[in-house]
Amino acid sequence: MAISVPLAVYERVTRKNTIPRAVELTILFLLLSLVAYRLISLQDHGFTWFLAFVCESWFAFTWVLSVSTKWTQADYKTYPEHLLQGKPELPAVDMFVTTADPVLEPPILTVNTVLSLLAVDYPANKLACYVSDDGGSPLTFYSLMEASKFAKLWVPFCKKYCIEVRAPFRYFSSESALSRDVSLEFQQEWKKMKDEYEELSRKIEDAANGLMPFELTGEFADFSSIQRKNHATIIKVIWENKEGVANEVPHLIYISREKRPKYPHHFKAGAMNVLTRVSGVMSNAPFMLNVDCDMYINNPKIFLHAMCLLLGAKNKDTDFAYVQSPQCFYDGLKDDPFGNQLVVLFEVGWIYGSTTEDVLTGLTIHGRGWKSAYCSPNPPAFLGCAPSGGPATMTQQKRWATGLLEILFSRRSPFFLALQGKLQFRQCLAYLWLMLWGLRSIPELCYAILPAYCIITSSHFLPKVGEAAFFIAAVVFITYNLYTLSEYLRAGLSVRAWWNNQRMWRINATTAWLIGTFSVVLKILGISDTVFEVTPKEQSTNEDDDHNANAGRLTFDRSPIFITGTTILLVNLTALAVGLLGLGFGLVARGEDGPGIGEVICSVWVVLLYWAFFRGLFRKGKYGIPSSTLYKAGALAALFSTGLSYQRQKMQIEDGKEIPSIILSGQNVHYYHLFSCSILTC
């Protein structure tokens, strides 16, 4: 008699990355060689050499962390059909959606995310959707009530015709949604469904514009005297699958948790914990899903893929505590101009103490010895709306840098969990690589200023062309950029996408991450606390913007976050200008201590990286740098440039060295001031 063997529901596939490993080790060897050369020759050089040594030591350290993180790469291949054969009855899942501000996070986005969850390929009687509204908005509640009515039509329609994209705004925006090769019945139902969704959208839009079709009575009475940060808990069961029918619409519950002025509410982590407590009383599912209000389900079978990993382990040593999917976005601009996609960068009660509570929670789980799995099916499991423009992108990056540094300097730091908990050594290194993003802003800032500093002060931080170490620095620069370019090409991205991500990495490091670092320092010193800033979200797609002349251009506002980037650009422009025009010590300096071609190339490279800021100097509106930012950055750059110039003159006079007469001329010094002020303030 044949014995049936249960089919595997997933398998771990190790990637072959021999060549990338070899290149990564080569880059590491070159970095260490450069650092060693600087160390042994430190006494023969000045301040710039020492500062470069410190920065490059930091870069070498972070490269070690990066290599360790990417050293062993693996994918998980899941087989949902095998799962259904082995487990005819699937476990229940509670689905959590969080929203905080009906203005920054329009309710129509939340509605589409909820509708995609309600229509997922999973038994409806095993699902319950809980929506946390931290804004306590009657508009959000009204939108969900109207969405529940539409869901009674939408869910059966999606399952009957196996619709893949189950967020209506995305489905009906697709030109291929209704092709010619479909039945007349489908065409009729499709048109009816589209009309119903347009009516739903119109109602929500009218309500958002102040045309409320309801009074704050009856179901809305709890919102009559609500204050956003001072109100009692509101729990509303919008829809209940009373009969427990598998093909019905899942439960839908609205929650606005209690808030009081004198009590901390712990941002999103607090909202998630309230959801778990409420769901524990109402549905108490053994598994839960957490998504942001703009992160709709793009793959309707993602629950089955995740269950393959969560239920498919053969022994406790391989049990997964949670499954995570990559952060992907829909309708991104061509070549990802704002570096949002993170394609080559591979992000449960919720733990308080950080604005990146998801990372802190995952770290705590790993610290207790549990494992996690990375689930990346095709098509992608979830799609969200990417931050559009500069301010939104910077806000998100600042929040990430702030939250990650908060974790690093807390008692739940990877160091402590590795020493006192069960966090594995390489897991510790991976978390460190992530959490050090904020601190990287300091060496990035120094390295961006160093070329200009050297040109203005007639010094150098790079080895001269005739020295062997010069070729080490040049090979590191070329090899690193070619290697990162190859990563993007292997991922199917373009050269321009690589360049956009390279420049945004540097811009984010010296702007958003730097501000985030200062925020954490102020918190540690007890001067101020960190604030959770909601990233503005938009439903509108970027398809039309691809044909816009301004598509992909960085946008600006009056936030201080843009001051450092503008200052870096102006300092390097000034250094190149005064050097090339002979107004400073740069290229007219004599002797072996002055800057060489390497410093000039580096300064040009910095200007290219900050070219978006350069374009912003000459634009108006949201695409131009505000005058207040220009004045502040111009003053800082002028102070930096002229201060260094006078300092260098004084030092050379005191040393009895010959100084170019063009610098000592009072007329030319005055011209230098006028030139620097004009270029710095445009």
Side-chain angles (χ1 to χ4, degrees):
M1 179 178 178
I3 301 177
S4 61
V5 179
L7 297 174
V9 294
Y10 78 87
E11 62 176 321
R12 186 177 185 272
V13 181
T14 303
R15 294 185 184 180
K16 294 182 179 179
N17 59 336
T18 305
I19 295 179
R21 283 181 178 179
V23 177
E24 290 166 357
L25 291 178
T26 300
I27 294 174
L28 177 60
F29 172 77
L30 292 171
L31 278 172
L32 293 177
S33 299
L34 182 60
V35 170
Y37 175 77
R38 290 198 183 278
L39 182 61
I40 61 177
S41 58
L42 203 57
Q43 294 181 347
D44 301 329
H45 298 83
F47 168 74
T48 56
W49 199 263
F50 173 75
L51 185 58
F53 165 74
V54 173
C55 293
E56 288 162 1
S57 298
W58 179 267
F59 296 150
F61 171 66
T62 56
W63 185 251
V64 170
L65 299 180
S66 175
V67 170
S68 173
T69 302
K70 298 188 294 183
W71 190 256
T72 305
Q73 300 180 21
D75 295 309
Y76 287 98
K77 190 174 182 179
T78 53
Y79 304 99
E81 63 278 7
H82 296 173
L83 176 71
L84 295 175
Q85 293 176 14
K87 294 186 178 296
E89 185 170 352
L90 295 168
V93 179
D94 286 337
M95 307 177 290
F96 299 153
V97 182
T98 54
T99 184
D101 191 314
V103 176
L104 297 178
E105 299 173 331
I108 191 64
L109 278 179
T110 305
V111 161
N112 273 275
T113 296
V114 169
L115 289 171
S116 72
L117 290 172
L118 298 178
V120 72
D121 279 343
Y122 207 78
N125 59 330
K126 298 290 185 179
L127 297 175
C129 181
Y130 297 83
V131 180
S132 170
D133 176 21
D134 258 10
S137 169
L139 172 61
T140 302
F141 176 60
Y142 168 77
S143 301
L144 291 172
M145 289 186 65
E146 293 299 317
S148 69
K149 301 173 185 177
F150 176 74
K152 297 171 187 176
L153 302 174
W154 176 247
V155 172
F157 172 77
C158 290
K159 294 187 175 181
K160 179 180 179 180
Y161 294 106
C162 298
I163 304 301
E164 184 171 292
V165 179
R166 300 189 180 181
F169 87 106
R170 293 289 297 158
Y171 176 69
F172 291 118
S173 67
S174 173
E175 296 180 357
S176 60
L178 185 61
S179 63
R180 296 180 180 178
D181 301 328
V182 294
S183 65
L184 179 61
E185 178 188 16
F186 175 78
Q187 293 182 35
Q188 293 174 342
E189 289 199 42
W190 185 92
K191 292 178 181 177
K192 176 184 176 182
M193 204 60 56
K194 185 177 182 181
D195 291 340
E196 291 287 345
Y197 176 70
E198 289 176 348
E199 178 66 13
L200 170 65
S201 300
R202 184 192 63 76
K203 289 182 178 179
I204 295 176
E205 184 178 357
D206 288 346
N209 291 331
L211 302 176
M212 294 290 189
F214 56 85
E215 294 182 357
L216 297 182
T217 59
E219 286 288 346
F220 295 90
D222 292 327
F223 298 94
S224 60
S225 59
I226 193 172
Q227 297 180 22
R228 183 169 179 177
K229 295 184 179 181
N230 185 16
H231 62 83
T233 300
I234 302 176
I235 301 177
K236 301 284 187 180
V237 178
I238 296 177
W239 170 255
E240 184 179 5
N241 185 0
K242 295 181 180 179
E243 304 299 327
V245 181
N247 293 325
E248 262 278 11
V249 177
H251 305 307
L252 178 59
I253 300 96
Y254 170 92
I255 301 172
S256 183
R257 60 185 168 128
E258 179 183 12
K259 285 188 177 180
R260 301 301 177 192
K262 296 183 180 180
Y263 295 90
H265 59 273
H266 300 293
F267 313 117
K268 181 179 175 181
M272 293 302 303
N273 279 332
V274 169
L275 290 179
T276 58
R277 289 194 290 272
V278 174
S279 67
V281 174
M282 300 185 71
S283 51
N284 197 28
F287 294 97
M288 61 187 71
L289 168 76
N290 166 224
V291 294
D292 287 341
C293 64
D294 68 312
M295 194 66 65
Y296 72 86
I297 284 187
N298 184 62
N299 187 329
K301 297 187 182 297
I302 181 55
F303 280 38
L304 299 176
H305 287 288
M307 286 301 170
C308 287
L309 296 164
L310 292 169
L311 303 177
K314 297 180 179 179
N315 56 70
K316 292 184 178 181
D317 292 336
T318 57
D319 278 353
F320 296 120
Y322 63 93
V323 174
Q324 56 186 348
S325 295
Q327 178 170 303
C328 302
F329 302 102
Y330 59 82
D331 279 351
L333 288 169
K334 184 179 179 182
D335 300 323
D336 191 20
F338 303 120
N340 290 317
Q341 294 290 355
L342 303 178
V343 174
V344 299
L345 174 63
F346 294 107
E347 300 169 280
V348 89
W350 281 258
I351 309 301
Y352 303 146
S354 169
T355 54
T356 52
E357 68 293 314
D358 49 352
V359 177
L360 180 55
T361 301
L363 171 61
T364 304
I365 292 173
H366 284 149
R368 294 176 180 174
W370 289 88
K371 297 183 179 180
S372 62
Y374 191 78
C375 184
S376 182
N378 186 23
F382 304 92
L383 290 180
C385 104
S388 58
T393 300
M394 298 300 178
T395 297
Q396 186 180 69
Q397 292 285 339
K398 173 181 174 291
R399 186 175 73 241
W400 287 350
T402 301
L404 293 172
L405 278 179
E406 285 177 320
I407 300 172
L408 183 64
F409 294 113
S410 72
R411 58 186 179 87
R412 293 187 179 90
S413 168
F415 291 112
F416 296 121
L417 291 180
L419 294 174
Q420 303 174 1
K422 298 181 180 179
L423 189 68
Q424 298 178 7
F425 176 69
R426 285 185 58 198
Q427 284 180 326
C428 176
L429 296 183
Y431 274 109
L432 281 179
W433 174 77
L434 187 66
M435 293 174 188
L436 289 173
W437 278 9
L439 289 182
R440 180 171 179 142
S441 61
I442 299 174
E444 287 277 3
L445 175 63
C446 293
Y447 225 68
I449 293 294
L450 261 177
Y453 179 96
C454 291
I455 293 175
I456 294 173
T457 62
S458 188
S459 58
H460 69 102
F461 77 101
L462 290 173
K464 295 296 184 179
V465 176
E467 302 178 50
F470 175 83
F471 295 98
I472 297 178
V475 173
V476 167
F477 176 79
I478 295 172
T479 306
Y480 171 79
N481 283 286
L482 289 178
Y483 171 70
T484 54
L485 174 60
S486 69
E487 286 186 308
Y488 280 80
L489 295 178
R490 290 199 304 270
L493 300 177
S494 65
V495 176
R496 179 175 285 274
W498 164 80
W499 171 251
N500 287 335
N501 277 264
Q502 292 300 304
R503 68 182 180 89
M504 286 305 300
W505 182 274
R506 268 73 202 177
I507 289 174
N508 288 329
T510 54
T511 55
W513 298 359
L514 186 65
I515 297 295
T517 301
F518 287 152
S519 299
V520 176
V521 171
L522 294 177
K523 179 181 178 180
I524 294 175
L525 296 176
I527 299 176
S528 65
D529 201 358
T530 54
V531 178
F532 187 94
E533 299 176 82
V534 179
T535 305
K537 299 176 177 65
E538 301 175 359
Q539 182 189 359
S540 59
T541 63
N542 291 321
E543 292 175 347
D544 296 334
D545 290 340
D546 281 328
H547 305 289
N548 189 330
N550 292 320
R553 289 195 174 184
L554 197 66
T555 56
F556 304 88
D557 62 9
R558 298 180 182 275
S559 169
I561 211 168
F562 294 103
I563 293 177
T564 52
T566 308
T567 303
I568 290 171
L569 171 70
L570 296 179
V571 166
N572 279 276
L573 285 176
T574 301
L576 288 173
V578 299
L580 292 173
L581 295 177
L583 299 176
F585 285 104
L587 301 182
V588 300
R590 304 174 185 176
E592 298 180 355
D593 293 333
I597 190 63
E599 283 73 18
V600 176
I601 292 175
C602 286
S603 191
V604 171
W605 182 256
V606 171
V607 171
L608 292 177
L609 289 172
Y610 288 82
W611 195 253
F613 282 78
F614 182 82
R615 296 167 74 174
L617 296 176
F618 309 101
R619 300 295 301 272
K620 294 183 179 180
K622 67 178 183 179
Y623 297 105
I625 301 175
S627 57
S628 60
T629 301
L630 274 176
Y631 294 146
K632 294 172 185 176
L636 289 173
L639 181 65
F640 178 86
S641 303
T642 56
L644 291 181
S645 179
Y646 282 131
Q647 178 187 11
R648 183 60 180 174
Q649 292 178 39
K650 183 178 179 181
M651 291 174 59
Q652 290 200 348
I653 291 174
E654 291 176 350
D655 293 340
K657 294 183 178 180
E658 180 182 359
I659 304 175
S661 59
I662 190 171
I663 295 299
L664 295 182
S665 166
Q667 180 180 359
N668 285 308
V669 170
H670 178 66
Y671 177 73
Y672 172 80
H673 278 293
L674 292 177
F675 176 82
S676 62
C677 289
S678 63
I679 191 173
L680 295 178
T681 59
C682 295

